Amino acid sequence: MYLNCHSYYSLRYGTIKPEQLLAIASENGVKTLALTDINNTSACLDFVKLSSKYKIKPVLGIDFRNGVKQQFILLAKNNNGYKNINDYLSLFLHDSKLKIPEIAPQLDDVFAIYPYVHKKTYLLKEHEFLGIKPQDLNLLKFSKWNAFRNKLVILQTVSFQNKKDYNTHRLLRAIDNNTLLSKLSKSEQGQETDKMLPYQELGTIYHEFPEILKNTAYILDKCHINFDFSHQNPNNQRCYTNNEALDFKLLKKLAYDGLAYRYTNPQKHVFERIEKELSIIEQKGFVSYFLINWKILKYARSKNYFYVGRGSGANSIVAYLLRITDVDPVELDLYFERFINIFRQNPPDFDIDFSWKDREDITRFIFTKFKNTALIAVYNTFKFKASIRELGKVFGLPKLEIDLLTKGKYNIQHLDQLSQLVVKYSTYIEGFPNYLGIHAGGIIISEKPIHYYSATFMPPKGYATTQFDMVVAENIGLYKFDILSQRGLGKIKETTEIVAYNHPDKPPIDIHDIKRFKQDARIKYLLKNARTIGCFYIESPAMRMLMQKLQVDDYLGLVAASSVIRPGVAKSGMMRQYILRYRNPQRRNDAPKVLLDLMPETFGVMVYQEDVIKVAHYFGGLTLGEADMLRRGMSGKFRSRDEFMKVKQQFFDNCKKSGKPDDLVIDIWKQIESFAGYAFAKGHSASYAVESYQSLFLKAYFPLEYMVATLNNFGGFYSTELYVHEARMNGGIIEAPCINTSFTQTIIREKTIYLGFMFLQSLESKTIKQIIEERNAHGLFLNLDDFIERVPISIKQISILIKINAFRFTGNNKRELLWEAYLKITKHTAQEQTITLFKTERIHFKIPKLPSSVLENAFDDIELLGFPLCSPFDLLKNQSSNLLRAKDLKLLEGKTVTIEGYLITVKNTRTSGGKIMHFGNFLDRNGDFVDTVHFPPVADKFPFEGKGIYSITGKVTIEFDCVAIEVKCMERLAIIEDLRYSASALPKFYSQKEKTLRTEQHV
């Protein structure tokens, strides 16, 4: 009898979780229930999937509203009706200018229900009805509609469960309207009576109008919706060639055609692996999935786009032969069953990374090439701190108090009533969906129209996006194509382009010659010595330290290191065990024999996701399907917590039955539990290692070009400053932006690197474009006057260029140039220059001599670039005589030393007891790295105070050849004050300025 029910996917309106709505209905004796969220279908598929659990027949529809004003409700008679409703809703979600009309459209297989308005009449069609609320019944008796009872139905809206829910609803409406709760209009709220009543009670309310009860039952009886959640049949585009048999022939042909490209002399086991994979791919119905990926990447190669196929898809030799991935699964003995196996129910996916500059075109190609395509949504939910902030504003709390609450620095008992309410209701709405966003890279290509499953909305990105997320997509058999972007590929591609113009005599770089890279001596040196700044995935302090400890200098070692560095391995204590066993073969016997036999390559340490599956399968006796469910469950991707717990119990039961010692079982389970959610698939690590090798090759042979590309692609782990430093350490000559040389991005000429205009804070892109276009069209600028005549520019914009010394080619001091610019340019933004027949001669002013110092230049650099182009140690207030350097520390193990370092980065972490500690990364005066460890007592007593130079005192420790300082005390050293902003210097500064102005007026 309920035709209008809302879940909390009626965003910032409803308050009930979809499953909770079913549970409430079950408790109230309801056998059929219609979910009609407001302009939203996010919950629909889950609602249908869960309904059988509560023995309730699901009905799907949509409550169409303009804001909160209800226009009509559309209910689907069947799946076709649901699609038609989604088609209609999507019109409005794609164009925000469209308003939902008062009259519902006539759609096939759809019922329409209007809210009752006493004085308004409609000529209702066969599929249309009028909804009567309990509070409308008295008016109905005196209305002409009383004579048309065959068109009347129950409209008891359900938005809340109880009074608390209604209060929460009002707060959500206040947040949505960005208003104080006290000022929230009644018209913006639902009614407190919008809740579910027991079936019998609802029948009693309408007992005088049996026709209404009958009509409502008729509608619900006529509605039947059905979706397949068995995971047996993929619902992605079924065929690539419009014929499944032809698809398989094409896939097989492409696989064997790719042999010549990948293998010089393929052995028998290669052919056996191909046939095995092809058989499983065909059996599971994933042939078109491979072919669609192949087509996308064929297009990418035709455009010379760089890409990396990673994730567990790299475990497939068919993917390798189709050039979807660049990892040889035979060489690495990769476990295909981690990607696809006959027991695995959830669909596979390839993660394809493109350069951040190329991904947009790839997305466009997919939407153009394939018919039923959409991006996948994510549910952006209310987080606790954000909820505190939003509700604090709704209750009118002052900002200071809101800030205090968000930091959690309060005793709930000591808060006033309003603050307590803010905290209380923040816990209620935490986890509620707030708005729909876009998945990082997920795209679905469906056999049926997307609207068969969901309405779509149109985000600013400009592509239709489902209203459900990736979990729902998987539940319904829609496996996604992950089209992702990363800056690492942009760096690699751009480096090859920079090398081409900076070294035109050199042959083109074959960046895909990974086999040669694996043997390269220079690359081995960089790896072993962790000289990897700027290199993809291996440049962070933690990764560089791990590589030093392992002394990694080969591909397999790097593949393992890429997964060993993940949080869970360290948390389980197995990272240290892995290092010990890697360096000392005798320590490998410490591993339980059963684990050593299963994972000889990693010395009995679980490093990859496949290891979890192997251990669960061979040690724990689980099937491959159960083992994969265990792995997914530990990474938080389980569909059902109950299923996961059941599999976990099965693991322990199987071990007990087979007589395995309890201590061993518990120890192995702890290892699984500690890192399964963080570990990489081996193929994923191998894919990362391939990209790392490409980066390493460029860093080894073209370090300056590679650093320029790193800067232009906005770096990596570190700030721009460190990459500039790294370029300087490799012999680069760093120049500030120059009017006659620089471009938007950084460029290099032989060994001289000119920073790009884009790094200048507050310099507008319009100004940059005008400078470059004018220079390209009419040649270099001769002087400041020539520049002002040719480029329309405001005094604010030209001041930035002068202060960074971009006019140094003129030979004039920049302080004098600033005065000249102020005299010749108005304070308002300049208009476009007009061409005149005669050139007007400019007035030349006599400018006083105003020398600028090196320190002043450094402060301008910091203001405009964010860092000085000189050594930061030159800015110390008191120059130090400390001669200790990082290179000296190896000889001082166990000694307490004091060294000065420029802070690069800090990693904050917590001890097992929950206390804060830090790992610091500094540069010494020579530009070499100093690593520090700050245990909780020191971290508390000597906190970091932001960017700057620190005097660090501590004990030198060396573990596995890695040198670090265990800090005992630390002090941030004072730098020279910028006198231009010094309070003591201001009177002198203004006195000089007045004197100069008088001189100028006299002239």
Side-chain angles (χ1 to χ4, degrees):
M1 295 301 171
Y2 290 95
L3 304 177
N4 186 206
C5 298
H6 301 139
S7 76
Y8 62 12
Y9 285 100
S10 291
L11 302 175
R12 299 191 179 196
Y13 190 100
T15 58
I16 309 173
K17 296 178 183 178
E19 185 166 5
Q20 185 186 1
L21 185 62
L22 287 163
I24 296 167
S26 181
E27 288 171 10
N28 284 292
V30 175
K31 299 299 181 185
T32 305
L33 191 68
L35 176 69
T36 57
D37 274 318
I38 299 170
N39 302 343
N40 186 285
T41 60
S42 295
C44 287
L45 294 176
D46 257 354
F47 181 79
V48 174
K49 181 173 181 283
L50 292 165
S51 60
S52 59
K53 177 180 175 182
Y54 293 92
K55 296 182 174 58
I56 289 176
K57 174 186 166 184
V59 174
L60 296 182
I62 295 169
D63 188 342
F64 284 83
R65 299 194 182 197
N66 289 318
V68 296
K69 185 176 184 298
Q70 188 177 57
Q71 302 292 80
F72 47 80
I73 298 159
L74 296 184
L75 292 178
K77 294 181 183 179
N78 50 36
N79 288 58
N80 182 56
Y82 179 60
K83 175 195 170 294
N84 292 335
I85 294 173
N86 288 332
D87 284 339
Y88 185 67
L89 174 61
S90 300
L91 293 174
F92 303 98
L93 299 181
H94 285 219
D95 187 351
S96 59
K97 294 176 184 175
L98 294 178
K99 294 294 181 184
I100 296 167
E102 288 189 354
I103 305 299
Q106 185 164 350
L107 304 174
D108 289 345
D109 300 319
V110 171
F111 288 118
I113 300 161
Y114 295 99
Y116 173 73
V117 180
H118 178 45
K119 293 184 179 178
K120 204 158 191 174
T121 61
Y122 301 94
L123 185 62
L124 296 179
K125 299 172 186 174
E126 184 182 352
H127 70 289
E128 295 178 323
F129 294 85
L130 196 66
I132 308 297
K133 294 186 176 183
Q135 55 266 41
D136 297 330
L137 290 173
N138 286 332
L139 285 173
L140 179 63
K141 294 175 183 178
F142 306 100
S143 166
K144 72 174 200 173
W145 283 110
N146 198 18
F148 298 93
R149 292 192 180 187
N150 65 316
K151 281 295 181 181
L152 307 181
V153 294
I154 296 172
L155 189 60
Q156 171 60 30
T157 299
V158 178
S159 301
F160 330 116
Q161 184 178 2
N162 48 37
K163 174 71 173 175
K164 182 190 80 174
D165 274 8
Y166 177 65
N167 292 339
T168 304
H169 157 79
R170 294 184 66 239
L171 293 170
L172 291 170
R173 298 305 305 135
I175 291 172
D176 192 50
N177 283 274
N178 194 25
T179 188
L180 293 170
L181 183 62
S182 58
K183 293 186 177 181
L184 181 65
S185 167
K186 285 284 185 185
S187 63
E188 285 295 324
Q189 307 172 37
Q191 296 180 334
E192 192 175 347
T193 54
D194 291 347
K195 57 188 179 182
M196 194 171 289
L197 305 173
Y199 180 81
Q200 295 298 335
E201 185 177 335
L202 195 63
T204 302
I205 291 172
Y206 288 88
H207 77 279
E208 291 185 48
F209 301 88
E211 297 90 344
I212 295 181
L213 292 165
K214 181 181 176 183
N215 297 337
T216 308
Y218 167 80
I219 287 178
L220 291 173
D221 184 60
K222 287 292 181 183
C223 293
H224 298 277
I225 203 86
N226 183 54
F227 288 98
D228 178 14
F229 298 100
S230 68
H231 308 292
Q232 299 302 314
N233 301 303
N235 284 315
N236 275 44
Q237 182 173 312
R238 188 168 295 119
C239 298
Y240 175 76
T241 64
N242 296 321
N243 181 292
E244 291 187 53
L246 195 57
D247 270 10
F248 184 69
K249 284 183 180 179
L250 176 59
L251 180 64
K252 190 168 186 175
K253 181 181 182 301
L254 291 171
Y256 280 99
D257 286 351
L259 275 170
Y261 179 79
R262 293 299 194 186
Y263 296 99
T264 307
N265 183 27
Q267 302 299 306
K268 180 183 176 183
H269 62 274
V270 170
F271 292 99
E272 290 173 347
R273 175 75 177 252
I274 294 170
E275 289 300 323
K276 170 191 169 185
E277 288 194 18
L278 286 172
S279 174
I280 295 175
I281 291 166
E282 182 183 29
Q283 186 178 340
K284 294 294 290 183
F286 297 142
V287 174
S288 66
Y289 180 68
F290 275 76
L291 291 174
I292 291 171
N293 273 291
W294 166 77
K295 181 63 179 179
I296 293 167
L297 298 178
K298 184 181 178 185
Y299 170 77
R301 290 194 299 276
S302 75
K303 301 285 284 187
N304 198 29
Y305 294 159
F306 283 24
Y307 65 87
V308 170
R310 57 178 175 84
S312 60
N315 291 30
S316 167
I317 194 170
V318 173
Y320 180 56
L321 294 171
L322 267 60
R323 299 182 68 178
I324 297 171
T325 69
D326 278 319
V327 174
D328 183 352
V330 175
E331 175 195 11
L332 294 177
D333 189 27
L334 297 181
Y335 197 49
F336 178 67
E337 286 75 9
R338 164 61 185 89
F339 182 49
I340 302 174
N341 64 69
I342 57 174
F343 302 103
R344 181 174 175 174
Q345 290 189 331
N346 61 290
D349 60 354
F350 287 109
D351 294 333
I352 312 292
D353 285 342
F354 292 90
S355 164
W356 61 285
K357 297 176 181 178
D358 301 333
R359 183 174 73 157
E360 180 63 25
D361 185 52
I362 292 293
T363 303
R364 179 204 59 76
F365 171 77
I366 293 170
F367 272 80
T368 304
K369 178 69 179 174
F370 303 102
K371 185 179 178 183
N372 300 317
T373 305
L375 303 180
I376 298 177
V378 291
Y379 310 135
N380 291 293
T381 59
F382 282 101
K383 305 297 187 291
F384 181 70
K385 286 185 178 180
S387 303
I388 290 274
R389 194 163 293 283
E390 291 284 3
L391 292 178
K393 289 189 288 184
V394 164
F395 280 111
L397 295 185
K399 183 180 182 299
L400 192 65
E401 195 165 338
I402 293 173
D403 291 342
L404 191 71
L405 292 176
T406 56
K407 291 173 184 175
K409 296 181 178 179
Y410 58 82
N411 182 326
I412 192 73
Q413 304 301 325
H414 297 162
L415 296 177
D416 60 38
Q417 188 179 7
L418 279 183
S419 294
Q420 286 187 6
L421 283 173
V422 167
V423 174
K424 176 183 176 182
Y425 279 95
S426 292
T427 61
Y428 290 166
I429 69 171
E430 185 180 4
F432 275 34
N434 185 11
Y435 60 92
L436 299 181
I438 309 174
H439 185 275
I443 298 177
I444 54 174
I445 303 172
S446 172
E447 177 68 19
K448 294 186 178 78
I450 297 297
H451 292 160
Y452 181 82
Y453 305 100
S454 160
T456 54
F457 68 100
M458 187 69 73
K461 198 173 180 71
Y463 297 108
T465 306
T466 65
Q467 289 192 317
F468 56 69
D469 69 357
M470 59 173 282
V471 175
V472 175
E474 284 191 7
N475 284 340
I476 203 65
L478 290 167
Y479 41 95
K480 69 184 188 302
F481 295 78
D482 273 331
I483 306 300
L484 304 161
S485 73
Q486 52 149 287
R487 300 190 182 277
L489 290 168
K491 290 192 285 185
I492 292 169
K493 182 181 179 182
E494 188 167 339
T495 303
T496 62
E497 295 166 353
I498 294 170
V499 170
Y501 81 67
N502 203 38
H503 300 282
D505 54 320
K506 292 188 180 294
I509 297 169
D510 182 4
I511 202 64
H512 301 289
D513 192 2
I514 305 301
K515 288 183 179 178
R516 179 167 71 88
F517 297 168
K518 290 175 185 177
Q519 307 305 319
D520 191 282
R522 286 197 194 181
I523 293 176
K524 286 179 179 290
Y525 174 81
L526 292 182
L527 271 175
K528 196 168 186 176
N529 293 278
R531 302 290 180 87
T532 55
I533 296 299
C535 295
F536 176 75
Y537 199 71
I538 54 174
E539 62 169 331
S540 70
M543 191 65 184
R544 287 187 292 108
M545 188 174 287
L546 176 62
M547 290 191 298
Q548 281 182 296
K549 289 178 178 180
L550 292 172
Q551 294 289 286
V552 167
D553 68 351
D554 64 358
Y555 177 64
L556 290 178
L558 184 57
V559 170
S562 297
S563 196
V564 169
I565 195 65
R566 302 289 289 166
V569 185
K571 183 181 174 183
S572 68
M574 296 312 293
M575 180 191 284
R576 181 176 174 78
Q577 284 299 316
Y578 180 82
I579 296 168
L580 284 167
R581 295 173 195 178
Y582 184 94
R583 292 175 66 106
N584 184 356
Q586 291 182 341
R587 295 297 299 266
R588 295 169 192 177
N589 295 323
D590 294 349
K593 187 176 184 306
V594 63
L595 295 186
L596 196 57
D597 290 344
L598 284 173
M599 299 166 290
E601 185 184 312
T602 55
F603 326 119
V605 176
M606 280 178 273
V607 169
Y608 308 112
Q609 287 181 351
E610 290 89 338
D611 296 336
V612 177
I613 295 174
K614 284 180 184 177
V615 172
H617 179 53
Y618 293 107
F619 179 82
L622 300 179
T623 66
L624 287 174
E626 290 170 336
D628 191 59
M629 188 185 296
L630 190 71
R631 176 196 65 79
R632 286 174 60 80
M634 287 181 168
S635 60
K637 295 179 181 177
F638 43 78
R639 292 190 185 85
S640 165
R641 182 80 190 176
D642 292 339
E643 286 181 10
F644 170 72
M645 295 306 294
K646 186 178 176 182
V647 172
K648 176 182 175 181
Q649 188 59 48
Q650 189 67 47
F651 176 90
F652 281 97
D653 291 345
N654 291 350
C655 290
K656 191 169 186 178
K657 283 178 187 175
S658 58
K660 294 182 175 67
D662 288 347
D663 291 348
L664 177 64
V665 173
I666 291 169
D667 181 56
I668 289 175
W669 177 258
K670 283 181 179 176
Q671 287 184 46
I672 293 173
E673 202 169 35
S674 64
F675 83 94
Y678 299 99
F680 282 157
K682 188 177 180 182
H684 186 88
S685 288
S687 301
Y688 270 13
V690 166
E691 190 174 342
S692 297
Y693 263 86
Q694 291 173 323
S695 304
L696 285 162
F697 170 77
L698 297 172
K699 179 81 185 290
Y701 288 91
F702 305 100
L704 296 183
E705 289 79 5
Y706 185 68
M707 282 303 118
V708 170
T710 300
L711 290 168
N712 288 340
N713 285 273
F714 304 99
F717 183 87
Y718 301 98
S719 65
T720 298
E721 180 179 11
L722 186 72
Y723 297 116
V724 169
H725 165 77
E726 184 70 8
R728 190 181 284 116
M729 293 291 284
N730 281 277
I733 301 163
I734 310 299
E735 290 283 347
C738 170
I739 289 299
N740 274 339
T741 309
S742 293
F743 290 84
T744 303
Q745 295 188 316
T746 300
I747 62 164
I748 183 170
R749 292 184 175 175
E750 295 183 349
K751 290 193 173 185
T752 303
I753 295 171
Y754 289 87
L755 295 179
F757 289 125
M758 69 181 185
F759 292 105
L760 293 174
Q761 295 176 26
S762 300
L763 187 66
E764 296 169 359
S765 56
K766 178 184 175 184
T767 301
I768 297 170
K769 184 180 178 183
Q770 288 173 329
I771 292 169
I772 296 169
E773 286 180 350
E774 174 60 29
R775 192 178 71 202
N776 289 340
H778 301 108
L780 301 180
F781 300 102
L782 303 177
N783 48 45
L784 184 64
D785 281 350
D786 184 42
F787 179 84
I788 292 171
E789 285 172 3
R790 290 164 58 186
V791 179
I793 194 168
S794 69
I795 188 63
K796 182 179 179 182
Q797 291 289 290
I798 201 170
S799 296
I800 294 170
L801 295 167
I802 293 172
K803 286 168 75 176
I804 203 63
N805 219 3
F807 288 90
R808 56 190 179 278
F809 67 92
T810 64
N812 295 333
N813 180 281
K814 68 180 182 180
R815 298 296 159 209
E816 295 168 13
L817 288 173
L818 267 176
W819 274 101
E820 193 174 340
Y822 268 93
L823 293 170
K824 293 178 178 179
I825 299 176
T826 66
K827 291 185 180 180
H828 303 291
T829 303
Q831 302 297 314
E832 293 293 328
Q833 304 286 17
T834 54
I835 299 174
T836 57
L837 185 61
F838 300 102
K839 189 175 179 180
T840 306
E841 186 175 346
R842 283 191 172 272
I843 300 172
H844 293 281
F845 298 95
K846 184 176 180 182
I847 304 298
K849 293 290 181 184
L850 295 169
S852 58
S853 67
V854 173
L855 288 175
E856 213 171 340
N857 290 339
F859 288 123
D860 280 339
D861 293 342
I862 293 170
E863 180 186 341
L864 297 172
L865 292 171
F867 56 90
L869 291 175
C870 66
S871 168
F873 290 91
D874 294 343
L875 302 180
L876 281 175
K877 186 174 183 180
N878 301 308
Q879 288 300 318
S880 169
S881 58
N882 189 319
L883 300 176
L884 188 63
R885 302 291 182 267
K887 62 183 176 60
D888 304 322
L889 296 178
K890 277 194 175 181
L891 303 175
L892 299 170
E893 184 178 7
K895 301 287 179 62
T896 297
V897 301
T898 298
I899 192 169
E900 291 166 356
Y902 182 58
L903 180 62
I904 298 301
T905 183
V906 181
K907 180 185 178 184
N908 303 315
T909 187
R910 289 185 181 273
T911 65
S912 56
K915 294 184 177 178
I916 289 282
M917 64 175 292
H918 312 295
F919 294 96
N921 197 234
F922 298 81
L923 291 177
D924 73 359
R925 287 175 182 267
N926 291 354
D928 295 323
F929 286 102
V930 177
D931 294 306
T932 60
V933 182
H934 307 246
F935 288 111
V938 173
D940 184 55
K941 190 173 181 181
F942 301 100
F944 285 94
E945 298 176 9
K947 198 171 180 179
I949 298 166
Y950 289 77
S951 175
I952 305 154
T953 299
K955 185 174 76 172
V956 178
T957 63
I958 302 178
E959 183 184 43
F960 304 124
D961 298 319
C962 270
V963 181
I965 295 177
E966 191 179 298
V967 178
K968 293 182 177 177
C969 63
M970 181 177 72
E971 176 190 7
R972 185 170 181 264
L973 301 178
I975 64 167
I976 296 168
E977 190 175 15
D978 185 352
L979 292 177
R980 294 170 300 173
Y981 304 108
S982 164
S984 60
L986 281 176
K988 183 179 177 182
F989 174 78
Y990 281 111
S991 174
Q992 177 62 39
K993 187 173 181 181
E994 288 167 3
K995 184 178 178 182
T996 305
L997 282 171
R998 284 197 298 273
T999 303
E1000 178 258 312
Q1001 288 167 357
H1002 178 72
V1003 172

